[in-house]
Amino acid sequence: MKLKYFLLAWVSFGKKNLRSYFTLNFIIKGFGVATLLSIFIFLSIFEISYFSLVGCFLAIFGLYLLLKSDKQIWFWSGFFSGILWFYWISFSLIYYGFWYLIPVEILGIGFIYAFIFLVCGYFSNLIIRASLLVLLGYFYPFNFNWFNLELIFVNTIFKPQIWTLAAVLASLVCTIKFRYGVAVLICALLISINLDKKTPNLLPFSVELANTKIPQSIKWERSYKDELISENLKIIDSAIDKNASLVILPESAFALFLDHQKELLEYLKEKSKRISIVTGSLGYENNTSYNSTYLFLNGDVKRLDKVILVPFGEEIPLPKFATNFINKIFFNGNQDFGAAKEVSDYEIDGVKIRNAICYEATRDEIYVNNPKFVIAITNNGWFVPSTEPTLQEILLKYYAYKYNTTIYHSVNGSPSKIITP
């Protein structure tokens, strides 16, 4: 009987505690804070610096409200922030035939970030809360690192770095606890103004940065294979006609296992005697598939495999039994992609270039030893139309500034750009 009453007491306590989170007041306030923390992404679509600055200040106001909020509001702020930042991840389900699970995945993303925020907001101490917000950008749930509050300073007059975020949060803590906090905030922002106007460092030869708009729905169709190859060859020929020294095509531009297409390989090798070619395709070796960059240079070819795989897209970051189950259900039993052991560099006309494929271009590991140049190739066809390309570009600008690196970004599905520090 004692055990029965004990369990009933705990169930009653749990229901009462859980019910306190699901009140309309907390949900509305959490949505408001999340909107403030996320609006900079949507304003960046317009590529107007004034809008980005407005988005930055709105995010700072959101951080102010968040710091002084109840933990229940932190929970809902995380829930809606996760959705507003990453709703587009679920769009990839369309191409696996599981479109009806999109709402489930969006809710799942929301609850992951809800619990992350809840941990940060569980502590009532403002300094601990602020410190955890700073560290959020260095915590990678399921090896995914795109939630970083330092990004609110990208495309503004402020330095997009950890010290700017830390200074702003410290001043917000002072604002809440002391009267002079606003003055501290102003000082923090003033010392964080980016006065270092760097001269763009570009490759010392002409580059043709290809941009394609191939829908993901047909990209891997066998019936489209020959047309896709033909379009890629036209891009290469056009670059030759423009006297470019290098042409860069997007990730998986050749939607096949290029290392097993001998005739096409030989043709591209021959073309590379007239122009250097960087293109994306697949590789297959030792019963393992690789997402790869192919470098065709002076009649030779080199394959450079991806180092950091996309969570739940190219690898399942879960225990093996769960990985096998998910691969069986969603990927027809296929195994995870293989990954290279270390980052890859190559030289074109004596210039060293770091290789990056899509997601890994937004990871610190790619920028080890501060490479001057990164050529990143991406296929955004999975996620357009959405804010994914915008958030990706913000991240690339962040890393370009952080490591003083120029990034040549060739994309399918959204604009290709040269991103400078």
Side-chain angles (χ1 to χ4, degrees):
M1 289 294 290
K2 289 183 178 180
L3 178 60
K4 178 181 177 181
Y5 289 128
F6 177 78
L7 292 175
L8 285 173
W10 269 104
V11 169
S12 177
F13 173 79
K15 285 183 177 179
K16 183 178 180 180
N17 193 47
L18 187 62
R19 194 180 297 119
S20 70
Y21 284 82
F22 289 84
T23 62
L24 188 59
N25 182 46
F26 288 146
I27 294 173
I28 291 174
K29 288 182 178 179
F31 178 74
V33 171
T35 301
L36 291 170
L37 295 180
S38 310
I39 195 67
F40 78 96
I41 300 172
F42 297 87
L43 290 176
S44 294
I45 294 173
F46 300 100
E47 297 186 335
I48 299 174
S49 57
Y50 172 76
F51 284 7
S52 297
L53 195 59
V54 170
C56 174
F57 284 118
L58 288 175
I60 291 173
F61 182 56
L63 291 172
Y64 167 76
L65 295 177
L66 184 63
L67 283 171
K68 56 188 293 191
S69 294
D70 296 326
K71 61 183 179 182
Q72 291 90 342
I73 296 175
W74 279 74
F75 177 86
W76 289 110
S77 297
F79 177 80
F80 289 114
S81 292
I83 290 175
L84 290 171
W85 282 54
F86 305 127
Y87 67 93
W88 45 264
I89 293 176
S90 64
F91 291 2
S92 62
L93 289 172
I94 295 171
Y95 307 105
Y96 295 107
F98 295 99
W99 55 267
Y100 51 87
L101 293 179
I102 287 177
V104 176
E105 183 166 353
I106 290 176
L107 288 173
I109 293 167
F111 280 115
I112 288 171
Y113 283 92
F115 285 107
I116 292 173
F117 268 57
L118 180 59
V119 171
C120 298
Y122 186 82
F123 303 93
S124 58
N125 185 288
L126 290 177
I127 296 176
I128 294 177
R129 285 183 166 188
S131 299
L132 290 174
L133 283 175
V134 171
L135 295 175
L136 265 185
Y138 302 87
F139 171 68
Y140 304 169
F142 300 108
N143 204 31
F144 183 68
N145 72 321
W146 278 26
F147 192 90
N148 187 337
L149 291 171
E150 296 168 42
L151 300 183
I152 66 176
F153 303 108
V154 175
N155 294 325
T156 72
I157 59 175
F158 306 114
K159 299 174 184 177
Q161 58 185 14
I162 188 172
W163 304 116
T164 305
L165 178 61
V168 166
L169 285 168
S171 64
L172 292 177
V173 170
C174 292
T175 302
I176 296 169
K177 294 181 71 71
F178 311 107
R179 292 182 179 179
Y180 56 80
V182 175
V184 176
L185 174 60
I186 293 172
C187 290
L189 291 174
L190 286 175
I191 64 175
S192 298
I193 291 177
N194 185 12
L195 300 176
D196 184 17
K197 300 300 180 182
K198 300 175 182 177
T199 302
N201 185 26
L202 303 177
L203 288 168
F205 45 79
S206 58
V207 178
E208 181 70 12
L209 198 60
N211 180 230
T212 57
K213 303 289 184 182
I214 312 300
Q216 191 64 27
S217 57
I218 65 172
K219 187 176 180 66
W220 295 92
E221 292 290 336
R222 290 186 178 182
S223 59
Y224 188 65
K225 172 185 169 183
D226 291 339
E227 184 177 346
L228 181 59
I229 292 174
S230 177
E231 290 299 317
N232 289 334
L233 297 180
K234 287 179 182 178
I235 291 172
I236 294 170
D237 287 337
S238 175
I240 292 173
D241 292 340
K242 295 176 182 177
N243 294 317
S245 298
L246 168 66
V247 59
I248 307 170
L249 284 78
E251 176 188 16
S252 62
F254 290 93
L256 40 76
F257 291 98
L258 188 53
D259 51 353
H260 289 258
Q261 303 289 322
K262 292 184 178 180
E263 185 176 336
L264 181 57
L265 274 177
E266 292 303 318
Y267 186 84
L268 291 171
K269 284 182 185 179
E270 191 64 29
K271 285 287 183 183
S272 73
K273 294 177 181 178
R274 302 179 63 189
I275 187 172
S276 301
I277 304 168
V278 171
T279 185
S281 188
L282 297 181
Y284 190 78
E285 184 179 349
N286 298 326
N287 297 318
T288 302
S289 299
Y290 294 88
N291 189 355
S292 306
T293 296
Y294 284 81
L295 170 65
F296 294 89
L297 182 65
N298 299 324
D300 292 321
V301 61
K302 182 179 181 181
R303 195 187 86 201
L304 305 102
D305 299 326
K306 194 172 186 178
V307 179
I308 305 169
L309 304 180
V310 178
F312 296 101
E314 295 167 332
E315 69 167 349
I316 308 300
L318 295 173
K320 189 169 181 61
F321 75 91
T323 297
N324 292 338
F325 175 77
I326 292 174
N327 280 333
K328 182 179 180 180
I329 297 298
F330 292 96
F331 302 108
N332 296 319
N334 294 325
Q335 298 301 306
D336 289 354
F337 276 72
K341 294 181 179 179
E342 57 185 9
V343 297
S344 301
D345 293 324
Y346 52 88
E347 286 192 8
I348 298 177
D349 290 350
V351 180
K352 182 180 285 189
I353 298 169
R354 178 68 47 82
N355 177 62
I357 303 174
C358 196
Y359 169 64
E360 64 182 3
T362 60
R363 290 288 294 257
D364 289 283
E365 295 92 328
I366 288 296
Y367 300 89
V368 63
N369 298 325
N370 296 71
K372 287 186 177 180
F373 301 102
V374 167
I375 288 181
I377 57 175
T378 293
N379 175 27
N380 281 336
W382 294 95
F383 307 114
V384 291
S386 75
T387 51
E388 184 271 345
T390 302
L391 180 55
Q392 182 186 58
E393 184 178 337
I394 293 171
L395 280 154
L396 290 175
K397 289 180 178 179
Y398 168 77
Y399 283 101
Y401 174 83
K402 186 175 182 179
Y403 293 100
N404 195 27
T405 299
T406 298
I407 304 171
Y408 285 75
H409 191 211
S410 178
V411 189
N412 174 62
S414 60
S416 298
K417 293 185 179 181
I418 300 173
I419 297 172
T420 57

